[in-house]
Amino acid sequence: MDEFDLGVLAKYPFLSEAKEYVASLNLTLVQISDHPVYSSAVELGRVRVSGALSGDIKTDLSGKIPQELTLLSYVIARILVNATKNPNIISRYAKSEAHNAYVFLRKESATVLDKVSKDLGVGFNVGRMDFTQYLALTRDLASDSKWKLVNRVMENGEVLIKNKTEALELLREAVKGRIMAPIDTRNIPESFKVIAEQFKNEYTDSTVEIQFKELNLDAVPPCITKILSSLKSGSASHLHMFILGTFFMGVGLDIEGVLKVFSVSPKFDAEKTRYQLGFLSGEKGATQYKCPACVKIKSYGFCVSDCGIKHPLQYYKYHKNDARNIKNKKTK
């Protein structure tokens, strides 16, 4: 063990030293489950996964035992997530953990940042990075033009990293990559398999369910339904996101409601999405953006059916009451 303390390891449980610390406890999963103190880590692990999939991980750093339990909860959470064998769940979990680390890293000293960077194998050479590593780390950021290699300054095979924020964003991607690495779950306790199966059933092939009285999903136009499928698969573009955001705000959802829609994406970033929605809604600017009309959606190539209308919001308004009446008749 070097000068890293337990509090630091609890914030960054993906570090090699954190793994060594857990190994030093010399406990099997069964022993952890039966331990008078550490057994609570199993429930904390389940809660950690649940929180991660909804974009909110709680970290208790108040003392040695809470910090150890936090470390163990991460280990158990990763086991549970990998045991689902669901790529979407694994990706969403890793992204949420990476964002949690990113929040902590923004407040860290240069010494800790350097330690984390070296542990992750991320090389910064006086504000520059080898272009091959840069490409690997920005693979999932390519939809943002600022990360495209053609828009970067590169000299002698190294890409200029403009500022600390960019460096931290690249570290976040490295954290995500480490957490997404597969682990062996073949010999885990049966109780762990049961919990993993519950997560799998809840998040596999589920439809977008939004509990709002003012929203009727049966009245959503086909083009929006198709874009929602892209959102869930993680292939939605920025234009897709713009259309979804303006459509759902147009039918009455507030920003928190639209966040719930976007949360089904394996690339969901609650903080970033909330910030962007603030601009779409006019909350952070002078312009309130509107959902594009059908002629625009057709020009984008997103139209999937000739609905005979001129605007997605018109479709929703027209079909809203009809869809609700049909549903009411079925329940009688």
Side-chain angles (χ1 to χ4, degrees), residues 22-251:
V22 171
S24 73
L25 297 176
N26 199 28
L27 294 169
T28 66
L29 292 176
V30 172
Q31 289 172 329
I32 290 174
S33 300
D34 295 335
H35 196 279
V37 176
Y38 296 139
S39 58
S40 59
V42 177
E43 173 60 14
L44 289 173
R46 186 195 66 77
V47 171
R48 191 179 187 105
V49 174
S50 182
L53 295 178
S54 61
D56 184 23
I57 297 175
K58 304 295 185 184
T59 305
D60 189 349
L61 306 174
S62 60
K64 180 179 179 181
I65 294 301
Q67 290 165 359
E68 287 185 330
L69 288 173
T70 295
L71 270 178
L72 290 172
S73 76
Y74 166 79
V75 174
I76 290 168
R78 281 205 65 201
I79 291 171
L80 294 175
V81 165
N82 278 266
T84 68
K85 296 181 171 56
N86 182 312
N88 183 48
I89 292 176
I90 295 170
S91 176
R92 286 177 63 182
Y93 171 76
K95 186 175 182 65
S96 188
E97 284 280 8
H99 177 72
N100 191 56
Y102 172 76
V103 172
F104 282 126
L105 287 168
R106 288 187 301 183
K107 302 174 184 178
E108 288 291 4
S109 65
T111 300
V112 173
L113 290 176
D114 184 59
K115 289 279 190 178
V116 173
S117 298
K118 288 180 178 177
D119 190 90
L120 292 168
V122 177
F124 293 108
N125 179 23
V126 194
R128 296 177 182 272
M129 173 180 285
D130 179 81
F131 86 96
T132 57
Q133 184 172 59
Y134 176 86
L135 289 175
L137 291 176
T138 58
R139 180 178 54 193
D140 293 337
L141 303 175
S143 58
D144 187 338
S145 61
K146 82 169 188 176
W147 294 107
K148 293 184 183 298
L149 194 59
V150 68
N151 295 325
R152 309 296 297 197
V153 174
M154 187 168 74
E155 295 179 359
N156 300 319
E158 292 185 320
V159 180
L160 175 66
I161 308 304
K162 297 178 181 178
N163 49 47
K164 180 181 178 181
T165 297
E166 285 195 349
L168 292 178
E169 288 174 339
L170 292 171
L171 277 179
R172 181 189 62 201
E173 294 304 300
V175 172
K176 183 175 70 175
R178 173 168 289 186
I179 295 173
M180 286 188 68
I183 59 177
D184 188 358
T185 61
R186 288 175 296 181
N187 298 316
I188 63 175
E190 192 63 32
S191 59
F192 284 48
K193 295 178 182 178
V194 171
I195 299 173
E197 189 66 21
Q198 291 171 348
F199 281 120
K200 184 176 180 180
N201 291 337
E202 183 176 356
Y203 291 96
T204 300
D205 296 326
S206 59
T207 57
V208 179
E209 296 182 4
I210 313 159
Q211 304 301 322
F212 289 93
K213 291 186 294 184
E214 69 271 23
L215 183 64
N216 192 322
L217 288 178
D218 293 327
V220 172
C223 58
I224 300 299
T225 300
K226 179 67 175 177
I227 295 173
L228 281 171
S229 297
S230 298
L231 179 72
K232 185 179 176 184
S233 68
S235 61
S237 65
H238 280 291
L239 187 53
H240 282 140
M241 305 286 272
F242 174 83
I243 293 172
L244 288 179
T246 52
F247 173 81
F248 282 109
M249 285 190 285
V251 300

